Amino acid sequence: MGRRRHVVTTVLHTGDTHVGYRQYHEPRRRADFLRAFEAVVEDAIEQDVDAVVHAGDLFHDRRPDLQDIQGVVAALRELQAANIPFLAIVGNHEAKRSGQWLDLFADIDLAERLGSDPRHVGDLALYGLDHVPESQRADLDYDFADHDAARSALVAHGLFAPFDPAEWDTEILLERADAEFDALLLGDNHQPGIEQLGDTWVTYPGSTERASASERADRGYNVVRLDDGDLRISRRTIDTRPFVFVDIELAAGEGAEVVRERVREYDHEAAVTIVTIEGEGEPIAPGPIEELATERGAIVARVNDRREHEDPEREIEVSFADPDEAVRRRLRELGLSTAARELDRVVRNEEIADSNVRSMARQRVASHREEGLAAFEPAPEGEMDEATAGAEAVDGEGADGEAEADASQTDDRIEDDGGPETASDAGPETEPTEDDEATVQPHPGDEGDSQGPSNAEDDADERDDGPEESGNDADERDDAENAGDDADAHDDDAEKPGDAASDGQASMEEYL
């Protein structure tokens, strides 16, 4: 009777690479996120793993720039050349309403999208669950096809218990799924951690670059090793740009000079410096402190003052300028011609549709030309105030009514002039880390890389109140413009998980 073949399967588990994220509006940070993804690929090739599993948010945005797409494609070609499959799911940041970028990469044989059918890698069967908006979870189908592998794992993107914050009840998922999973290989929480629920390991590898200042642990990925049925999960770190965290608690009476002294104690060369101030002490202006850090080599410096400064005896008077009056004042100073003032009213009239402004402006100019050139002469100095006052008088309801009438008369013959398109621890701190392993036997509370994550953050920025978006002052100040996209990414109910799988043959034009 023959002996059973000894099978060893090694899978690299990564996620939340956020390629394309221009953190702090700094181009070098954008390059850092791509470089971190490249470092993971290089390690996978060096370790000769059987597959790379990506748990979502490959890109930071659903509309990545061409240079970000090219960088990812180049890295995936390196994996392809090494015969290492790239198996992935779609995260909330990159999710599109139609075909996914992952489908495009699958079309050109650079990736595979995991789903309800098992993808066998050695003795491990892998399934996938894309990010699911909260409004669609009640109707979620937990049907998974059978497999004949020794072990199985579900790759999913979301905030799962027992980690904090949590939006998914992991025990309910495991109960409702018609497959038994030995591991959940997750993405979305940027803090690394591993826990055990019953016989199932639940793990996050963490992001590959620091997407917010709350991500202080070294960045890295997981290695899942299946040796003759014995499942082990370990974590390995990668080199990333250093972050210098200067944490200061001021005593009463202390101020900017104490902060400057502390900042000078650190090496800021080529680092991102985050100065956090707590305690009491005097108010601190962030500008000079940030300038000091950049003068000492930091590529970015941010000051987060966590203190509340309240002076009950101080009254603050706030006044707001009238923007309309400021415009009128400036118009009086310019001495515009009759025609110019009329064009100004057309442009600023909210009752006129944007698509009609150009046509109406042409109509007004043509009308004045027929009457001669007098209307194009600058207003005499003595008549400026009077002329502008007259313009203001008709800039209200009378002008609006006239504009509406003109607009309605010309709507039928206006050509489309192409109006604007709309779119529907650095510092003295130490850092670990060796390849601490978690097996199916050890207690999940062991110290080391097997610990659960600390509280997740703000993303950068903003909604997405995954770990990357929950509450860092510097990130909120720098990344507010991403909040809308993040909210859309989390709450977009236009597409159910898996809907886009049928779009795999979509043309390149649709994606680009």
Side-chain angles (χ1 to χ4, degrees):
M1 187 175 187
R3 295 181 59 188
R4 181 179 180 276
R5 182 173 59 92
H6 186 162
V7 177
V8 178
T9 303
T10 306
V11 170
L12 188 153
H13 167 213
T14 187
D16 295 291
T17 46
H18 288 273
V19 174
Y21 182 25
R22 193 167 177 262
Q23 189 183 36
Y24 305 116
H25 310 284
E26 169 56 59
R28 285 170 289 187
R29 288 299 291 147
R30 178 179 186 168
D32 290 343
F33 280 83
L34 176 59
R35 178 60 196 138
F37 177 63
E38 293 171 338
V40 172
V41 169
E42 291 168 2
D43 282 6
I45 295 173
E46 181 180 345
Q47 297 169 30
D48 192 25
V49 300
D50 295 297
V52 172
V53 168
H54 195 291
D57 283 354
L58 172 60
F59 291 110
H60 185 67
D61 192 274
R62 68 186 63 172
R63 297 176 294 273
D65 287 349
L66 181 58
Q67 68 187 78
D68 303 318
I69 299 171
Q70 289 175 318
V72 169
V73 167
L76 295 182
R77 290 199 187 282
E78 294 292 328
L79 285 177
Q80 183 185 54
N83 294 316
I84 299 175
F86 184 78
L87 314 176
I89 60 172
V90 178
N92 57 289
H93 271 258
E94 66 213 347
K96 297 165 64 67
R97 288 184 172 87
S98 56
Q100 307 299 322
W101 290 106
L102 188 55
D103 296 328
L104 174 61
F105 297 149
D107 288 346
I108 55 179
D109 297 325
L110 292 179
E112 297 179 43
R113 186 172 176 182
L114 295 172
S116 58
D117 292 326
R119 170 54 161 95
H120 289 82
V121 178
D123 257 0
L124 182 65
L126 292 166
Y127 298 85
L129 179 65
D130 294 339
H131 168 74
V132 183
E134 186 174 1
S135 62
Q136 298 176 12
R137 293 173 193 168
D139 300 324
L140 187 61
D141 184 357
Y142 291 92
D143 293 337
F144 297 93
D146 294 335
H147 69 88
D148 58 3
R151 297 278 188 168
S152 66
L154 175 65
V155 183
H157 190 89
L159 301 175
F160 289 81
F163 299 102
D164 184 28
E167 297 177 353
W168 285 82
D169 188 324
T170 307
E171 293 183 347
I172 291 179
L173 181 149
L174 293 173
E175 290 172 2
R176 293 181 179 177
D178 56 5
E180 294 185 2
F181 299 116
D182 299 289
L184 298 186
L185 308 181
L186 305 175
D188 199 19
N189 192 327
H190 289 194
Q191 306 290 1
I194 183 169
E195 295 286 353
Q196 191 173 20
L197 292 178
D199 296 328
T200 303
W201 286 103
V202 185
T203 181
Y204 286 97
S207 58
T208 52
E209 251 292 357
R210 291 179 177 89
S212 85
S214 67
E215 299 170 23
R216 296 201 174 194
D218 279 355
R219 303 293 91 191
Y221 55 85
N222 285 341
V223 175
V224 181
R225 182 180 173 87
L226 187 59
D227 188 349
D228 202 24
D230 181 25
L231 180 68
R232 295 175 179 269
I233 302 174
S234 61
R235 185 168 185 269
R236 299 184 183 179
T237 61
I238 59 176
D239 291 330
T240 57
R241 184 177 296 278
F243 269 52
V244 174
F245 296 100
V246 184
D247 298 327
I248 305 169
E249 183 162 354
L250 292 179
E254 293 182 330
E257 185 54 39
V258 173
V259 176
R260 285 193 289 266
E261 290 176 1
R262 288 294 307 277
V263 170
R264 294 189 187 102
E265 295 175 3
Y266 292 76
D267 178 10
H268 302 272
E269 187 63 33
V272 174
T273 296
I274 306 296
V275 180
T276 302
I277 304 173
E278 295 183 312
E280 301 181 15
E282 302 171 356
I284 303 295
I289 304 302
E290 294 173 352
E291 183 178 357
L292 173 63
T294 55
E295 287 175 353
R296 300 177 73 87
I299 67 165
V300 173
R302 292 292 182 269
V303 173
N304 294 331
D305 194 338
R306 304 296 192 191
R307 304 168 300 163
E308 293 184 3
H309 294 284
E310 295 183 2
D311 186 351
E313 298 180 358
R314 181 184 178 190
E315 294 184 1
I316 301 176
E317 181 178 344
V318 180
S319 62
F320 299 91
D322 182 350
D324 291 330
E325 174 58 31
V327 171
R328 289 192 290 267
R329 186 184 307 114
R330 182 56 178 158
L331 289 176
R332 287 195 293 269
E333 295 172 356
L334 292 175
L336 299 178
S337 66
T338 301
R341 292 195 303 273
E342 195 166 326
L343 290 178
D344 170 72
R345 294 199 301 276
V346 170
V347 171
R348 292 194 293 117
N349 194 328
E350 297 180 356
E351 300 297 327
I352 301 177
D354 290 346
S355 58
N356 292 341
V357 169
R358 182 178 298 183
S359 176
M360 289 196 63
R362 288 176 176 172
Q363 183 184 23
R364 298 296 176 88
V365 170
S367 175
H368 284 298
R369 289 180 60 187
E370 292 176 359
E371 299 172 359
L373 300 180
F376 297 93
E377 295 292 335
E381 184 173 351
E383 300 178 8
M384 290 181 188
D385 291 343
E386 180 180 351
T388 306
E392 294 169 5
V394 298
D395 201 21
E397 295 181 1
D400 292 347
E402 178 186 352
E404 289 183 17
D406 288 345
S408 63
Q409 293 170 5
T410 57
D411 273 346
D412 293 337
R413 63 176 184 272
I414 291 176
E415 296 180 358
D416 184 359
D417 291 312
E421 295 181 358
T422 58
S424 22
D425 266 291
E429 296 198 19
T430 62
E431 277 306 353
T433 75
E434 299 299 325
D435 302 338
D436 295 341
E437 293 190 344
T439 71
V440 177
Q441 304 306 324
H443 189 280
D446 290 345
E447 295 295 320
D449 290 325
S450 297
Q451 291 178 337
S454 60
N455 281 347
E457 50 145 90
D458 159 334
D459 215 285
D461 3 95
E462 338 146 5
R463 139 257 91 162
D464 176 341
D465 291 297
E468 68 268 36
E469 300 95 352
S470 41
N472 177 277
D473 292 345
D475 293 328
E476 289 172 358
R477 186 175 73 208
D478 287 293
D479 304 320
E481 79 282 354
N482 293 321
D485 283 345
D486 291 342
D488 290 341
H490 246 291
D491 298 326
D492 186 358
D493 295 345
E495 176 185 20
K496 294 184 179 180
D499 282 352
S502 60
D503 296 332
Q505 301 301 319
S507 65
M508 178 72 77
E509 288 79 8
E510 177 183 348
Y511 291 98
L512 298 179

